[in-house]
């Protein structure tokens, strides 16, 4: 069952956020997406620190869309912390790459992401990645509507 | 007596005196150096300096002995003869003493007194013999001669033994001369059963003289050491002569001449005993005193050794023959004397001539070998003198014994001034210090081979020159240190080249580093730029797309066309960025080489290009391609580019034909692969522009593309050591060939 904040989007570029949310919105998934703007905020959110200290009762996201190039705390560092902590270790992480360029893709896999989507995030790509990760609930619960 | 009178003759005497008379040099070093070995063009090499220095330092080592081994053995054999004679003498004396002590009646009586020596004589001979044996067993080590000061306990013992023998003799003489009976001559004899002193007479005058002389000689030798040996030998020769005369007299006529009271009277045994002791004394130190004349190495000694035995033994034999012939009545006295004189003349003449012949031959050989040696020495001298290397030899005390011209030039020193002086007197203090430090190091280690001294940290530094200095100890055949040598070679030029090379290397490395830095910077710049360019491009493309979709119905046709152009421009820019990224990556990515199935790769790439075939009639033929060894990803990129071009430029053909194949030469030359199309082709005069980045042969509105693709392909093939070229004809088609070497 999808809930609010089931998908965590970690992205700093406002255009990309807008485009991604637009893509999700067309499929009525936008309100399941929580957006954080940099690595530090992502970690605060995940580990309920700072302004997210009272994020009680809210479960962890079921999928993280992570841009690897972020201000403050880099996406790579965020990924490392996610993988180190017991509470977040099992959350699937999908890297957002700026191209299909093999170098970007390879380095993302090297860092231990579960899948990747080239930006801008298109819904088809998202579904494909989610499907690869066995997250069929995303598709089953909210069949894409046109 | 003075030192020089006697020891001066000892040309090859082993021991030397601290006063450093040149004649006292150890033979080996002297023989090596005294011929002026380093002489003429090189330096005034002064052997006495060198030699005396060697003596001082070599205190604890064996004195150098004459060089040739056979000669060495000869000397040792003399010493062996000496000890053998002494031993026999001792045995005879001891036997006689036993006979006396046992008082064997049948042996010692009035009749045998002519044959068996007196007990006192026997005792004196025994004491002397033991003393000589002790001398023979003494090592040859050189000792400081002391005046009335025996150097060792052994010397003291030898001296005491000799003195005891002499004392017996002196007391007996005193007894005879003074007419006083001290009873000394009966001291031993009376012990036996023949106690009757009237029947037993004392030792003969001759024996008494001999025991006194030989005993005194031995005692003196122990006190004075080597310096006295000439006298000792003189005395021994006298006693030997006396013994011989007694024996000759005995052989010639036992009845009339030999009488114990006559001047030549003595028992045969005592004559034999003293004779043996005399020979032993003469031979026990063959290199000392004038015995060196006989035992020495020179031609004169050799002649002496040949002639002397004949004179010593031949003449008495002739005399005996003459006497026997006369006694038998065969010839008269006059005839006998004449024959004797003639025979003596003939015998000595023959021996002298024979020995002269031998010596002449020796000298001839010697002259030849000397000439050879001179020649060899001249060669070495020439080498040293003319060498550019700075060469010097120092004695163990550090005094220069040799310097060559290069040394003079380099240090600005005068040979006259340098020879015989030490480094500190010759060189400036800094250099002298460094040289001496190194020299001491080398000498301390003695046989340590060759010490290398980089001159720039050693004796260099004053001028711009660099010398490589080798220092090494010089030892003689016996292993005695006789000096140290130094050879310094000018390596300034080499050093300068090395430094230049080093500097160039550094520069090059610096440049390379800079180039690498620049490339890295460029790469990361290209990467960053392409990523940063993408961000606004995504916005343009993404929002334009949304607008196009959302406002599909609202937009005018013209506006929609403009929006499409925006999207198209964004797409082109995207692919341009991709191409640029790929182009820059080809240059830096490591090749991951493997054996590749080229046919399979070509087919796979073609399958991926299915969108190019949509709505067109394209006949693609992929022939069997030989395998290649290359990087799979890059080779796929090559086919991808070439095939994409083939599709693109054949677009306007009704039936496009594309063929992928390979030409395999028979001679084993590399395989040439090709991609052929029947497209628009191009004018071959522009072929050289084909592979330059951003160069295009067609208008963009006709055929899209960045112009980077073929440049990338060429870059890939060059990295594989291969190449690409094209053949084309306008409106007929193009064939792209490539090769991997």
């Amino acid at each position: 069952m999808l809930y609010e904040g089931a998908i965590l989007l970690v992205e700093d570029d406002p255009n990309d956020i807008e485009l991604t949310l637009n893509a999700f919105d067309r499929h009525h998934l936008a309100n399941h997406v929580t957006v954080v703007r940099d690595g530090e905020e992502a970690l605060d959110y995940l580990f309920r620190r700072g302004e997210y200290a009272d994020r009680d009762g809210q479960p962890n996201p079921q999928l993280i869309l992570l841009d690897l190039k972020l201000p403050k705390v880099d996406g790579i560092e965020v990924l490392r912390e996610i993988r180190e902590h017991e509470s977040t270790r099992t959350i699937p992480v999908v890297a957002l790459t700026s191209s299909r360029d093999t170098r970007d893709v390879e380095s993302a896999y090297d860092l231990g992401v579960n899948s990747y989507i080239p930006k801008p995030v298109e819904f088809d790509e998202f579904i494909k990645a989610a499907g690869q990760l066995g997250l069929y609930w995303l598709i089953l619960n909210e069949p894409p509507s046109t | 007596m003075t030192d020089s009178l006697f020891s001066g003759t000892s040309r090859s005497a082993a021991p030397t005196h601290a006063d450093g008379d040149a004649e006292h040099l150890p033979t080996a070093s002297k023989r090596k150096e005294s011929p002026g070995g380093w002489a003429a063009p090189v330096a005034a090499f002064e052997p006495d300096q060198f030699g005396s220095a060697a003596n001082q330092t070599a205190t604890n080592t064996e004195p150098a002995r004459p060089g040739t081994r056979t000669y060495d053995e000869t000397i040792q054999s003399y010493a062996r003869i000496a000890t053998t004679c002494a031993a026999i003498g001792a045995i005879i004396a001891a036997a006689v003493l036993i006979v006396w002590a046992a008082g064997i009646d049948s042996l010692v009586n009035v009749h045998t007194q002519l044959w068996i020596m007196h007990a006192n004589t026997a005792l004196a001979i025994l004491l002397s013999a033991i003393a000589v044996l002790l001398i023979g067993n003494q090592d040859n080590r050189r000792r400081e001669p002391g005046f009335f000061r025996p150097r060792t306990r052994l010397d003291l013992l030898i001296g005491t033994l000799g003195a005891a023998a002499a004392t017996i003799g002196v007391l007996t003489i005193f007894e005879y001369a003074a007419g006083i009976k001290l009873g000394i001559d009966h001291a031993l004899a009376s012990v036996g059963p023949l106690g009757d002193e009237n029947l037993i007479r004392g030792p003969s005058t001759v024996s008494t003289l001999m025991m006194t002389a030989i005993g005194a000689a031995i005692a003196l030798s122990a006190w004075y050491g080597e310096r006295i040996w000439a006298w000792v030998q003189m005395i021994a020769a006298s006693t030997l002569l006396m013994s011989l005369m007694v024996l000759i007299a005995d052989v010639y006529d036992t009845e009339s001449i030999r009488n114990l009271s006559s001047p030549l009277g003595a028992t045969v045994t005592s004559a034999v005993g003293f004779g043996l002791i005399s020979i032993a004394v003469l031979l026990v130190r063959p290199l000392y005193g004038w015995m060196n004349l006989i035992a020495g190495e020179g031609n004169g000694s050799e002649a002496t050794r040949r002639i002397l035995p004949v004179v010593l033994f031949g003449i008495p034999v002739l005399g005996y023959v003459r006497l026997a012939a006369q006694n038998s009545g065969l010839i008269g006295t006059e005839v006998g004397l004449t024959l004797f004189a003639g025979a003596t003349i003939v015998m000595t003449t023959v021996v002298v001539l024979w020995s002269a012949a031998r010596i002449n031959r020796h000298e001839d050989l010697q002259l030849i070998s000397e000439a050879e040696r001179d020649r060899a020495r001249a060669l070495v001298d020439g080498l040293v003198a003319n060498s550019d290397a700075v060469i010097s030899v120092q004695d163990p005390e550090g005094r220069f014994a040799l310097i060559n011209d290069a040394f003079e030039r380099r240090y600005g020193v005068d040979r006259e001034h340098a020879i015989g002086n030490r480094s500190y007197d010759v060189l400036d203090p800094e250099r002298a210090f460094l040289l001496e430090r190194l020299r001491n190091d080398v000498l301390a280690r003695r046989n340590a081979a060759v010490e290398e001294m980089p001159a720039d940290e050693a004796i260099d530094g004053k001028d711009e020159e660099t010398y490589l200095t080798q220092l090494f100890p010089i030892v003689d055949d016996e292993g005695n240190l006789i000096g140290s040598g130094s050879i310094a070679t000018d390596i300034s030029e080499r050093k300068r080249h090395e430094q230049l090379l080093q500097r160039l290397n550094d520069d090059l490395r610096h440049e390379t580093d800079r180039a690498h830095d620049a490339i890295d910077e460029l790469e990361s710049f290209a990467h960053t730029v392409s990523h940063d360019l993408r961000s606004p491009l995504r916005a343009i493309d993404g929002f334009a797309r949304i607008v196009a979709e959302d406002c599909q119905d609202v937009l005018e046709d013209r506006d929609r066309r403009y929006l499409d152009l925006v999207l198209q421009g964004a797409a082109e820019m995207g692919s341009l960025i991709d191409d640029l990224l790929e182009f820059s990556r080809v240059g830096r990515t490591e090749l991951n080489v493997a054996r590749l199935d080229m046919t399979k790769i070509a087919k796979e790439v073609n399958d991926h290009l299915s969108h190019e075939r949509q709505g067109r009639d394209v006949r693609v033929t992929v022939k069997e391609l030989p395998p290649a060894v290359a990087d799979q990803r890059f080779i796929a990129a090559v086919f991808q580019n070439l095939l994409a071009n083939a599709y693109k430029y054949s677009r306007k053909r009704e039936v496009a034909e594309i063929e992928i194949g390979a030409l395999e030469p028979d001679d084993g030359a590399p395989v040439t692969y090709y991609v052929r199309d029947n497209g628009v082709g191009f004018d071959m005069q522009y072929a050289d522009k084909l592979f330059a980045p951003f160069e295009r042969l067609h208008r963009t509105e006709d055929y899209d593309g960045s112009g980077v693709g073929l440049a990338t392909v060429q870059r890939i093939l060059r990295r594989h050591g291969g190449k690409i070229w094209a053949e084309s004809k306008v409106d007929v088609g193009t064939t792209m060939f490539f090769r991997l070497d």
Side-chain angles (χ1 to χ4, degrees):
Chain A
M1 183 60 193
L2 272 181
Y3 48 83
E4 197 186 324
I7 298 166
L8 180 67
L9 173 64
V10 189
E11 174 63 81
D12 65 311
D13 186 328
N15 289 336
D16 284 335
I17 294 170
E18 180 87 41
L19 288 167
T20 306
L21 288 178
N22 181 285
F24 278 99
D25 190 41
R26 283 161 187 268
H27 298 86
H28 313 293
L29 277 172
N31 53 350
H32 298 297
V33 180
T34 303
V35 180
V36 288
R37 299 292 302 274
D38 59 49
E40 193 181 16
E41 200 183 340
L43 293 174
D44 282 351
Y45 180 85
L46 286 169
F47 302 120
R48 297 175 166 84
R49 301 184 302 218
E51 61 174 298
Y52 297 102
D54 52 355
R55 193 173 66 88
D56 282 331
Q58 236 181 350
N60 273 335
Q62 286 168 306
L63 181 71
I64 299 171
L65 296 176
L66 178 65
D67 186 9
L68 294 178
K69 289 182 73 180
L70 292 170
K72 295 188 191 172
V73 183
D74 192 33
I76 294 156
E77 177 63 22
V78 173
L79 186 62
R80 202 178 58 76
E81 294 232 12
I82 290 171
R83 290 296 180 240
E84 268 179 11
H85 280 81
E86 193 62 44
S87 61
T88 54
R89 182 177 294 162
T90 53
I91 304 173
V93 176
V94 174
L96 302 178
T97 62
S98 34
S99 70
R100 289 182 191 277
D101 189 290
T102 43
R103 184 162 118 170
D104 289 340
V105 175
E106 273 169 21
S107 61
Y109 277 119
D110 282 348
L111 292 167
V113 301
N114 301 81
S115 184
Y116 80 96
I117 301 176
K119 292 201 282 189
V121 178
E122 285 175 22
F123 197 74
D124 291 347
E125 291 279 351
F126 170 72
I127 292 301
K128 207 159 83 184
Q132 273 173 5
L133 298 176
L135 297 174
Y136 292 109
W137 45 264
L138 286 172
I139 308 153
L140 290 175
N141 278 4
E142 303 287 331
S145 58
T146 41
Chain B
M1 68 188 83
T2 64
D3 284 350
S4 57
L5 180 59
F6 295 99
S7 52
T9 59
S10 66
R11 184 172 161 257
S12 53
T16 52
H17 292 184
D19 57 8
D21 183 344
E23 290 295 324
H24 289 273
L25 284 177
T27 322
S29 57
K30 194 183 166 196
R31 203 178 303 124
K32 265 176 198 151
E33 291 133 20
S34 57
W38 316 90
V42 183
F45 187 88
E46 289 169 43
D48 56 343
Q49 270 179 10
F50 210 8
S52 63
N55 293 340
Q56 283 162 20
T57 52
T59 309
N60 291 323
T61 56
E62 289 271 303
R65 265 187 233 124
T68 57
R69 201 143 282 184
T70 45
Y71 183 73
D72 239 16
E73 282 166 7
T74 314
I75 296 302
Q76 273 166 15
S77 77
Y78 287 144
R80 256 202 310 282
I81 292 170
T83 43
T84 311
C85 287
I88 294 171
I91 290 166
I92 291 172
V96 168
L97 276 177
I98 290 167
V99 167
W100 278 92
I104 301 166
D105 206 12
S106 55
L107 286 176
V108 185
N109 55 48
V110 179
H111 304 291
T112 60
Q113 276 183 41
L114 290 177
W115 293 95
I116 297 187
M117 70 177 99
H118 191 270
N120 286 6
T121 312
L123 184 62
I125 288 175
L126 184 62
L127 293 172
S128 305
I130 291 170
V132 175
L133 282 173
L134 289 174
I135 294 172
N137 281 334
Q138 230 174 1
D139 58 9
N140 265 357
R141 231 166 256 184
R142 187 168 54 85
R143 284 164 292 135
E144 297 281 322
F147 198 71
F148 288 111
R149 191 156 53 85
R151 300 302 296 167
T152 65
R153 287 183 176 192
L154 198 59
D155 283 331
L156 197 65
L157 182 58
I158 292 165
T160 310
L161 288 169
T167 306
I168 295 170
V170 167
L171 288 177
T172 311
I173 292 171
F174 178 71
E175 195 184 66
Y176 289 171
I180 306 165
K181 284 219 178 254
L182 292 176
I184 183 165
D185 49 331
H186 295 288
L188 278 166
S190 58
V191 174
L194 293 169
D196 187 352
E197 55 187 59
N198 295 320
L199 289 177
I200 307 298
R201 17 162 301 106
S204 72
T205 314
V206 173
S207 293
T208 314
L209 278 175
M210 287 200 287
M211 72 177 81
T212 307
I214 207 92
I218 289 169
L220 283 175
S221 84
W223 267 317
Y224 283 96
E226 170 223 354
R227 283 182 297 176
I228 203 75
W229 270 95
W231 287 107
V232 171
Q233 287 162 356
M234 201 87 90
I235 295 169
S238 312
T239 52
L240 179 62
L241 187 63
M242 280 195 249
S243 307
L244 280 175
M245 295 207 15
V246 170
L247 289 173
I248 290 167
D250 189 68
V251 169
Y252 281 8
D253 186 347
T254 49
E255 293 303 316
S256 58
I257 298 180
R258 200 176 61 77
N259 181 316
L260 289 185
S261 53
S262 83
L264 290 175
T267 62
V268 174
T269 44
S270 67
V272 169
F274 281 115
L276 288 169
I277 298 299
S278 304
I279 293 171
V281 170
L282 284 171
L283 292 180
V284 76
R285 285 280 183 270
L287 294 179
Y288 288 8
W290 52 264
M291 270 307 286
N292 190 39
L293 281 179
I294 297 168
E297 236 187 332
N299 291 331
S301 300
E302 202 192 325
T304 313
R305 281 199 293 275
R306 287 181 203 292
I307 298 169
L308 212 56
V310 177
V311 172
L312 284 180
F313 300 103
I315 294 175
V317 169
L318 285 179
Y320 178 76
V321 170
R322 175 202 161 197
L323 199 63
Q326 267 177 238
N327 286 349
S328 64
L330 232 65
I331 50 170
T333 309
E334 290 78 10
V335 178
L337 195 58
T338 309
L339 286 177
F340 174 73
T344 306
I345 289 166
V346 169
M347 185 186 69
T348 41
T349 307
V350 166
V351 169
V352 167
L353 289 177
W354 171 63
S355 117
R358 289 294 297 261
I359 285 167
N360 280 350
R361 211 173 65 194
H362 262 211
E363 274 184 352
D364 286 350
L365 291 174
Q366 237 165 6
L367 281 176
I368 291 168
S369 72
E370 257 170 38
E372 277 172 359
R373 213 161 51 199
D374 287 348
R375 200 171 145 271
R377 190 169 300 130
L379 290 175
V380 174
D381 288 346
L383 194 69
V384 172
N386 293 308
S387 172
D388 281 339
V390 176
I391 297 174
S392 66
V393 172
Q394 286 169 280
D395 67 20
E397 300 301 291
R399 286 182 289 250
F400 284 105
L402 175 159
I403 64 172
N404 70 348
D405 297 350
F407 190 97
E408 283 189 309
R409 282 197 303 272
R410 169 143 173 78
Y411 296 118
V413 294
D414 188 38
R415 182 169 296 151
E416 311 304 317
H417 172 58
I419 297 298
N421 283 317
R422 295 184 165 85
S423 309
Y424 286 103
D425 307 324
V426 177
L427 304 171
D428 65 62
E430 199 182 332
R431 282 180 195 196
F433 171 74
L434 291 164
L435 180 67
E436 286 307 305
R437 194 188 58 184
L438 190 63
R439 200 177 68 86
N440 289 334
D441 219 40
V442 168
L443 293 190
R445 277 186 275 154
R446 273 296 282 278
N447 290 327
V450 176
E451 177 87 6
E452 281 197 17
M453 175 170 71
D456 47 353
E457 68 169 44
I459 55 173
D460 188 65
K462 199 169 179 179
D463 28 29
E464 286 282 305
E465 293 171 331
T466 306
Y467 275 71
L468 182 73
T469 304
Q470 297 182 309
L471 246 102
F472 44 90
I474 302 174
V475 293
D476 63 13
D477 293 345
E478 307 279 313
N480 301 315
L481 183 74
I482 57 171
S484 62
S486 161
I487 301 178
T489 23
D490 186 356
I491 56 163
S492 314
E493 197 65 16
R494 197 171 89 193
K495 202 80 185 170
R496 268 195 289 279
H497 283 148
E498 272 173 17
Q499 278 163 358
L500 185 67
L501 205 63
Q502 185 64 42
R503 209 163 44 237
L504 289 175
N505 253 338
D506 288 347
D507 289 354
L508 194 65
R509 194 174 304 127
H510 190 62
E511 287 301 318
T512 316
D513 287 349
R514 274 180 49 187
H516 275 297
D517 287 350
I519 289 170
D520 287 348
E521 245 170 62
L522 203 66
E523 293 300 340
S524 93
F525 175 76
H527 195 73
T528 310
V529 164
S530 60
H531 277 83
D532 289 353
L533 282 177
R534 252 181 239 287
S535 178
L537 193 61
R538 274 199 304 274
I540 295 167
D541 184 70
F543 293 119
R545 208 175 285 278
I546 291 168
V547 170
E549 266 178 46
D550 289 356
C551 310
Q552 210 166 4
D553 307 327
V554 189
L555 285 174
E556 297 282 329
D557 278 358
R558 200 180 60 168
D559 296 333
R560 197 180 303 127
R561 195 166 63 82
Y562 289 165
L563 207 53
D564 283 345
L565 287 176
V566 169
L567 288 170
Q568 197 182 319
E572 272 172 28
M573 188 166 172
S575 73
L576 189 60
I577 290 170
D578 283 345
D579 287 354
L580 271 177
L581 207 60
E582 176 71 11
F583 181 71
S584 84
R585 198 178 44 195
V586 167
R588 65 187 146 86
T589 314
E590 292 238 345
L591 289 182
N592 191 3
V593 175
R595 194 179 168 82
L596 304 178
D597 182 344
M598 297 290 272
T599 320
K600 191 174 159 215
I601 293 172
K603 280 181 176 166
E604 277 173 7
V605 170
N606 186 49
D607 289 347
H608 276 111
L609 292 168
S610 56
H611 58 276
E612 296 276 5
R613 293 191 289 272
Q614 273 170 7
R616 291 177 57 187
D617 188 358
V618 185
R619 290 171 197 172
V620 180
T621 318
V622 180
K623 293 191 166 174
E624 200 61 35
L625 304 177
V629 176
D631 184 302
Q632 165 147 19
R633 263 174 44 200
F634 284 143
I635 294 303
V638 168
F639 278 121
Q640 156 84 31
N641 270 290
L642 297 182
L643 272 171
N645 280 349
Y647 276 113
K648 188 159 68 183
Y649 295 110
S650 61
R651 199 156 55 203
K652 292 178 179 168
R653 297 288 172 197
E654 232 166 85
V655 179
E657 283 173 13
I658 297 174
E659 181 185 312
I660 303 171
L663 307 170
E664 250 181 303
D666 294 333
D667 59 359
V671 178
T672 301
Y673 302 92
Y674 65 87
V675 177
R676 177 175 297 145
D677 64 63
N678 60 343
V680 290
F682 60 89
D683 191 337
M684 280 297 278
Q685 68 170 311
Y686 304 118
D688 56 326
K689 290 192 170 182
L690 203 58
F691 302 105
F694 304 110
E695 290 281 357
R696 306 194 35 138
L697 300 183
H698 300 277
R699 282 195 302 249
T700 318
E701 54 263 44
D702 295 337
Y703 298 100
D704 58 331
S706 60
V708 181
L710 282 179
T712 305
V713 167
Q714 188 183 46
R715 232 179 158 182
I716 289 172
L717 292 169
R718 276 188 183 161
R719 284 210 61 194
H720 281 82
K723 61 173 182 178
I724 183 165
W725 67 100
E727 279 174 17
S728 187
K729 205 167 181 184
V730 178
D731 285 337
V732 175
T734 305
T735 308
M736 303 296 299
F737 298 95
F738 70 89
R739 213 162 79 180
L740 297 158
D741 286 344

